Amino acid sequence: MSIAVHSINKRFGEFVALRDVSLEVPTGQLVAILGPSGCGKTTLLRIIAGLDSPDTGRVFLQGREATELPVQQRRVGFVFQHYALFRHMTVFDNVAFGLCVRPRRERPSAAAIRAKVEELLALVQLESAATRHPMHLSGGQRQRVALARALAVEPQLLLLDEPFGALDTQVRQELRRWLRRLHDALHFTSLFVTHDQNEALEVADAVIVMNGGRIEQRGAPEEVYDAPASGFVHRFVGSSQDLPARRTAGLLYVGPMAPVPSAGTDGEVSVVVRPQDVQVNRAGEGWPGVVGAVRVVGPLVHMEIALEGHNGDPLVAEFERERYRADPFLTGQTVCVTLRRYRTYPTDPVG
Amino acid sequence: MSVAAHLPRPARGLGRGFLVALALGYLALFLLLPFGVVFAQALSRGLATYLHALTEPMARSAISLTLTVAAIAVPLNLVFGVVAAWTVTKYDFRGKSALITLIDLPFAVSPVISGLIYVLLFGAHGWFGEWLAAHDVKVIFAVPGIVLATVFVTFPFVARELIPVMQAQGRDEEETALSLGATGWQTFRRVTLPNIRWGLLYGVLLCNARAMGEFGAVSVVSGHIRGLTNTMPLHVEILYNEYNATAAFAVASLLAMLAIVTLAARAALEARAPELKRTGRTTGGHE
Amino acid sequence: MAFAEPRMPATPASTVAFAARRPRRVLPGFGLSLGYTILYLSLVVLIPLAAIFLKSGELGWERFGQVVGTPRVVAALELSFGAAALAALVNTFAGLLVAWVLARYDFPLRRLVDALVDLPFALPTAVAGIALTALYSPNGLLGSLLEPLGVKVAYTPLGIVVALVFIGLPFVVRTVQPVLEELDREVEHAAATLGASSGQIFVRIVLPAVWPALLTGFTLAFARAIGEYGSVIFIAGNMPMRSEIAPLLIVTKLEQYEYAAATGIAVVMLLISFFLLLGINALQAWSQRRLLGVAA
């Protein structure tokens, strides 16, 4: 089922949750809506599901207008952040609910319902938990029950609100790969909300980055990572750090580094650079600095450099551990920094 | 001075023992003693007198009237309580907090005034008094008046218990049920109702205890006609004023047992559904 | 590129997409439930209560003043509010003590005691009234002990206070106890590590946290005690000008068919009670805002 959303606005009292949001998701894609808390991503998801209604704007499902369509008739599977399992029902009854509440004419026979639920429980590997109540399940198991329950009504569209937010790191990594396989096997359209960039980049076909009720960028994961459309996206997706710079007459001056040609209006700009794009030289051109703390982070090494004349946080350079080992730096050593890759953005007054 | 002198004394030993003893002594004196007196007085002239006081015709008619009134008032307020709690917790609308305040209103009204308002409406000199007399309908000094006054004083109980419970449960489960295709009624019956059943039972218990024990409001509208409009609490009053204290305490002991049953059921429910413990504990209102 | 630009629908966006629409509620049945709630509320509570104000309006200001200004009425109102305030004050201290003991200490039969605190809610007031009278009358269990000391409880204003203390105890306990239980013990431990004594911790950490609940409990107990009838009339003695409470005076006036006087007293009591209720709600809203912080 394809989704199209046109110019949606939504406020809650004084708070503007969505400002003129439009997007389109083609059938069959797994799409992540990524953004910090309060950016409007959950509201957008709830509006697509029919759990909230937009103040203005329209929602289309499968090309048909669905803005006024009640949630019951949208045939979407919705998985809540905290799963919203029916706490008084067993796992089996939870999954069977959507089938049991159908009008008698459309309701499958008891045997058919049983077969369907068992099939779904097998799919989510919870056959043995059928008679248990939600409170006796682990977080990951609850999540899978919620998914099975949503899938029971054979939705064309699966909407998930922070589906892995309440789980341990290990479980969430397993579950998100499992969700990807499930999505590929069952051929529906999925849209999930997350504030975890790794989750979005690893699982999704496409990522929508939201901030302050607006869509900042949409694109394939590598596109969002490699070519951020704004300073916000650059800083939010992947790690990055800011350096103050100035553009004068088409030349960019970053600290004492040699000016480079740069298109754009003159004035103060922010240079945003990822740690792996910081080049550290023992001597030569660049921005001189002193090596500070060096930390091993798994296969990587993070090295802090206090840049000369720079009042902000030390710059972090990232190395592969093997390569760093072969040629290490010493704390207190003077080095020269150049930037392999960076992007410039207008300086954000709030920081 | 050593550092240890600055650390708070552990809450054991003398201070704690003193506070516990003080609190328990206070409760024993002000709660337990009056309660025990009811049974001591009731049985002071032996079991036969006690049983006779409970089985004589006037007592039997008072008991049956009390049961009848509760059987009408409690279901009415049960339905209202569920609908009202559903309305204020599952929807957003303007004036919601004003509505919640209005639901609590009967708690702020003296029971005597609760009776008075119905006398002013339906009494012989009331607004509808002449019309009712012309049509030979008796409300005041009759059973309908007692039911009305009881409905009024027990009005908020069920809603009051349910609102915090339903607020804490949120709307996620209902929204999920809808997204799975359930109708509004199916959602209410299969998802909401099972989730609130303990809170509901709890509210009904309190509502019932109050309905059976109400004195002031019922006293104003009843007319104290023995065998006709006399409820158990009113019967207690009459017997007591007639210096038949033993019989008065005998009937009172039934009401006291109702209180024990209510409290025991409440404790049992709280053990089952701990979320009830945080909510609505100040439901006591006026009497 | 994973996304196509959204195709605009055939209808002009300016007319449809930007027309603000009425918020649609997701759960069905809003109109029915709200309608039923308001109808039943109006029939049972609002219209009957309005009747009393309309009735008193018929009196006119002058007559109203005459009716509620008689010394007997004034004395009864003063007694009701005074005894209620005194009893609520006693309950504030006793309630804090009981709540503290129940929330913080474990002792044998704690759960039984916890359940018993609600006894005054569950016990019909007429039962409480005759029981207290039997206890405190001159030949009663407690009355006979107090009499030699020159303390008379039954059939005096003191008896009224005793009855109102019985009735009001659970309010303070039940509002303060949950707050004490939810209080983060680590904050107290932090204060201890900073050198505060247990007395200082109670005054500077615990008391400010339970203060709103304590005030709410006091107001609830006070409001309840003002209108209390059943538990008081047996023990009060009901002497006009001395131990006659306002609700009893309403009943007396009614029995004498003095509807105007009964209504007048009732209106005065109702107005004061409503302001108390409004006060409680404002207090609760305020303390909730304070606890949740500005962000919420």
Side-chain angles (χ1 to χ4, degrees):
Chain A
M1 187 190 274
S2 66
I3 310 168
V5 162
H6 293 298
S7 311
I8 287 216
N9 284 283
K10 176 76 178 175
R11 340 169 38 117
F12 294 102
E14 292 296 295
F15 178 72
V16 181
L18 295 174
R19 302 163 201 259
D20 197 28
V21 168
S22 298
L23 69 91
E24 198 153 293
V25 179
T27 305
Q29 279 208 333
L30 173 55
V31 175
I33 306 178
L34 176 65
S37 62
C39 74
K41 54 191 193 298
T42 296
T43 305
L44 179 59
L45 198 72
R46 289 174 59 88
I47 285 176
I48 293 170
L51 293 171
D52 270 322
S53 54
D55 296 337
T56 62
R58 306 166 73 183
V59 178
F60 293 82
L61 297 176
Q62 199 65 12
R64 256 181 252 121
E65 165 120 41
T67 318
E68 299 288 336
L69 200 64
V71 54
Q72 294 98 319
Q73 292 165 30
R74 293 200 189 195
R75 303 268 311 209
V76 297
F78 196 97
V79 178
F80 284 83
Q81 184 176 3
H82 300 289
Y83 323 132
L85 295 180
F86 304 131
R87 64 199 97 177
H88 61 284
M89 293 181 197
T90 61
V91 167
F92 185 96
D93 291 338
N94 261 281
V95 178
F97 183 87
L99 300 171
C100 293
V101 295
R102 289 199 180 156
R104 199 171 293 278
R105 285 174 287 108
E106 297 166 32
R107 195 187 309 158
S109 68
I113 292 178
R114 172 157 289 275
K116 177 82 190 173
V117 173
E118 276 165 2
E119 178 197 326
L120 281 163
L121 287 179
L123 183 72
V124 299
Q125 296 151 22
L126 280 172
E127 303 99 313
S128 58
T131 55
R132 284 203 265 165
H133 278 84
M135 67 183 282
H136 301 299
L137 300 179
S138 71
Q141 288 173 323
R142 286 179 202 185
Q143 172 64 274
R144 294 192 327 250
V145 175
L147 265 168
R149 182 177 65 179
L151 295 175
V153 294
E154 292 172 7
Q156 302 292 297
L157 174 61
L158 191 60
L159 303 172
L160 307 105
D161 185 8
E162 296 273 2
F164 314 113
L167 302 172
D168 298 337
T169 320
Q170 176 99 36
V171 183
R172 48 198 297 169
Q173 287 193 347
E174 279 168 25
L175 260 178
R176 70 192 187 209
R177 284 174 197 150
W178 177 80
L179 176 71
R180 178 73 236 191
R181 290 197 300 274
L182 190 76
H183 174 89
D184 292 339
L186 297 180
H187 307 293
F188 41 65
T189 310
S190 305
L191 194 55
F192 75 99
V193 155
T194 180
H195 63 266
D196 181 341
Q197 36 151 330
N198 292 328
E199 215 160 274
L201 297 181
E202 186 182 323
V203 176
D205 297 317
V207 178
I208 298 167
V209 185
M210 288 188 70
N211 182 34
R214 286 178 212 282
I215 293 183
E216 294 261 341
Q217 189 175 8
R218 48 197 160 185
E222 61 271 27
E223 198 179 324
V224 170
Y225 186 83
D226 293 338
S230 66
F232 172 81
V233 176
H234 199 143
R235 294 180 193 106
F236 193 75
V237 180
S239 51
S240 62
Q241 43 207 329
D242 279 34
L243 285 175
R246 186 168 185 80
R247 189 188 284 126
T248 312
L251 286 176
L252 184 72
Y253 296 85
V254 185
M257 285 189 241
V260 287
S262 163
T265 49
D266 284 3
E268 301 283 330
V269 292
S270 283
V271 161
V272 183
V273 59
R274 301 200 189 281
Q276 67 268 31
D277 293 333
V278 175
Q279 167 82 41
V280 186
N281 308 307
R282 285 167 198 282
E285 295 232 305
W287 192 335
V290 177
V291 173
V294 178
R295 283 187 197 87
V296 179
V297 186
L300 302 171
V301 171
H302 287 166
M303 183 172 85
E304 290 185 354
I305 301 155
L307 293 175
E308 215 167 77
H310 177 55
N311 295 327
D313 290 338
L315 194 69
V316 176
E318 187 179 282
F319 304 87
E320 282 167 32
R321 191 163 160 190
E322 295 304 315
R323 285 180 55 184
Y324 182 84
R325 275 230 182 106
D327 189 12
F329 292 90
L330 295 172
T331 300
Q333 184 180 353
T334 307
V335 290
C336 273
V337 169
T338 54
L339 307 178
R340 276 193 288 264
R341 282 166 47 164
Y342 59 86
R343 294 177 79 88
T344 60
Y345 302 97
T347 300
D348 186 358
V350 249
Chain B
M1 203 196 270
S2 72
V3 179
H6 288 287
L7 287 174
R9 264 171 290 124
R12 279 177 231 106
L14 227 60
R16 171 200 140 129
F18 175 71
L19 288 178
V20 172
L22 199 63
L24 293 185
Y26 181 87
L27 291 178
L29 191 68
F30 276 88
L31 289 187
L32 222 47
L33 205 54
F35 193 69
V37 159
V38 174
F39 293 95
Q41 294 275 346
L43 294 166
S44 60
R45 294 209 184 142
L47 200 60
T49 321
Y50 177 75
L51 290 177
H52 178 257
L54 297 182
T55 49
E56 53 100 9
M58 290 306 142
R60 290 225 304 257
S61 113
I63 292 169
S64 105
L65 179 61
T66 290
L67 293 176
T68 310
V69 169
I72 301 169
V74 173
L76 282 175
N77 285 335
L78 164 75
V79 173
F80 167 75
V82 173
V83 177
W86 164 273
T87 307
V88 300
T89 57
K90 303 294 175 188
Y91 305 105
D92 291 314
F93 54 93
R94 266 164 188 276
K96 191 202 279 200
S97 57
L99 183 62
I100 297 176
T101 306
L102 287 178
I103 291 171
D104 275 350
L105 205 54
F107 279 161
V109 175
S110 170
V112 167
I113 299 175
S114 314
L116 172 68
I117 56 180
Y118 290 105
V119 174
L120 293 180
L121 280 178
F122 304 118
H125 303 275
W127 284 357
F128 304 110
E130 277 178 37
W131 187 88
L132 290 172
H135 292 78
D136 205 24
V137 181
K138 270 190 84 71
V139 176
I140 299 306
F141 303 151
V143 175
I146 297 174
V147 171
L148 278 175
T150 306
V151 168
F152 183 95
V153 294
T154 59
F155 179 84
F157 279 92
V158 177
R160 254 241 158 151
E161 280 310 321
L162 288 184
I163 288 171
V165 171
M166 289 168 81
Q167 232 152 23
Q169 285 175 354
R171 302 174 198 173
D172 284 3
E173 289 184 40
E174 280 81 7
E175 289 177 348
T176 305
L178 292 176
S179 79
L180 292 170
T183 64
W185 174 247
Q186 282 174 325
T187 303
F188 172 73
R189 197 175 56 82
R190 304 178 79 136
V191 175
T192 310
L193 208 53
N195 269 337
I196 61 170
R197 61 190 190 274
W198 299 124
L200 187 60
L201 188 56
Y202 199 65
V204 165
L205 272 171
L206 297 179
C207 185
N208 178 65
R210 180 66 192 271
M212 291 191 172
E214 176 53 29
F215 177 71
V218 169
S219 164
V220 170
V221 295
S222 132
H224 303 84
I225 308 163
R226 279 203 188 186
L228 281 179
T229 63
N230 225 17
T231 62
M232 285 166 75
L234 298 179
H235 191 57
V236 169
E237 184 197 19
I238 291 181
L239 292 171
Y240 190 82
N241 288 342
E242 287 172 347
Y243 301 100
N244 193 352
T246 313
F249 278 106
V251 179
S253 75
L254 285 186
L255 291 166
M257 280 188 259
L258 171 72
I260 296 187
V261 170
T262 304
L263 290 186
R266 173 175 221 173
L269 278 178
E270 274 175 5
R272 262 205 102 100
E275 73 271 14
L276 293 175
K277 203 165 166 104
R278 299 264 165 271
T279 62
R281 293 297 295 264
T282 49
T283 308
H286 242 302
E287 155 111 26
Chain C
M1 180 82 184
F3 288 88
E5 274 302 304
R7 284 186 309 274
M8 287 312 283
T11 20
S14 53
T15 55
V16 181
F18 294 102
R21 57 178 79 84
R22 208 165 56 86
R24 186 172 52 78
R25 286 182 180 82
V26 176
L27 270 173
F30 174 67
L32 185 69
S33 350
L34 183 66
Y36 174 79
T37 303
I38 289 177
L39 179 73
Y40 188 82
L41 177 73
S42 306
L43 283 180
V44 173
V45 177
L46 298 183
I47 293 172
L49 269 181
I52 204 166
F53 286 99
L54 290 175
K55 189 89 183 170
S56 74
E58 288 170 10
L59 289 175
W61 280 113
E62 203 179 327
R63 179 96 176 84
F64 185 82
Q66 281 171 4
V67 162
V68 298
T70 67
R72 186 173 170 192
V73 174
V74 172
L77 285 170
E78 276 177 4
L79 177 66
S80 273
F81 283 92
L86 194 60
L89 202 63
V90 172
N91 275 327
T92 304
F93 288 101
L96 179 61
L97 169 71
V98 172
W100 174 266
V101 166
L102 286 176
R104 286 301 169 89
Y105 304 144
D106 206 15
F107 49 90
L109 302 178
R110 195 186 67 85
R111 292 196 38 190
L112 182 70
V113 174
D114 192 15
L116 274 181
V117 168
D118 284 332
L119 194 60
F121 285 165
L123 194 68
T125 52
V127 178
I130 61 169
L132 289 170
T133 312
L135 263 183
Y136 288 98
S137 69
N139 51 8
L141 197 59
L142 293 175
S144 58
L145 292 176
L146 293 169
E147 180 119 78
L149 305 173
V151 182
K152 277 192 178 166
V153 178
Y155 318 125
T156 70
L158 186 59
I160 299 173
V161 176
V162 166
L164 296 180
V165 165
F166 176 84
I167 287 304
L169 176 73
F171 289 99
V172 178
V173 179
R174 292 306 179 215
T175 45
V176 172
Q177 191 183 351
V179 178
L180 279 177
E181 278 168 359
E182 266 160 42
L183 218 58
D184 189 357
R185 296 297 291 271
E186 282 184 6
V187 177
E188 288 163 59
H189 295 158
T193 63
L194 296 170
S197 70
S198 41
Q200 283 172 320
I201 291 174
F202 183 79
V203 173
R204 304 177 75 139
I205 310 287
V206 177
L207 216 48
V210 301
W211 173 245
L214 211 54
L215 205 57
T216 305
F218 171 85
T219 318
L220 286 170
F222 182 49
R224 163 81 197 253
I226 292 167
E228 178 56 25
Y229 178 70
S231 62
V232 175
I233 55 160
F234 295 97
I235 201 172
N238 307 327
M239 303 258 297
M241 305 298 295
R242 184 162 179 271
S243 58
E244 181 181 54
I245 55 167
L248 177 69
L249 193 54
I250 294 177
V251 174
T252 311
K253 295 289 181 194
L254 262 183
E255 280 167 359
Q256 294 163 353
Y257 303 105
E258 290 183 41
Y259 290 97
T263 311
I265 305 166
V267 164
V268 172
M269 291 184 65
L270 275 179
L271 287 177
I272 296 172
S273 298
F274 289 167
F275 281 116
L276 280 173
L277 193 72
L278 281 181
I280 296 170
N281 282 348
L283 199 71
Q284 274 166 347
W286 170 76
S287 65
Q288 217 148 39
R289 262 204 310 281
R290 209 188 60 139
L291 287 175
L292 295 176
V294 195

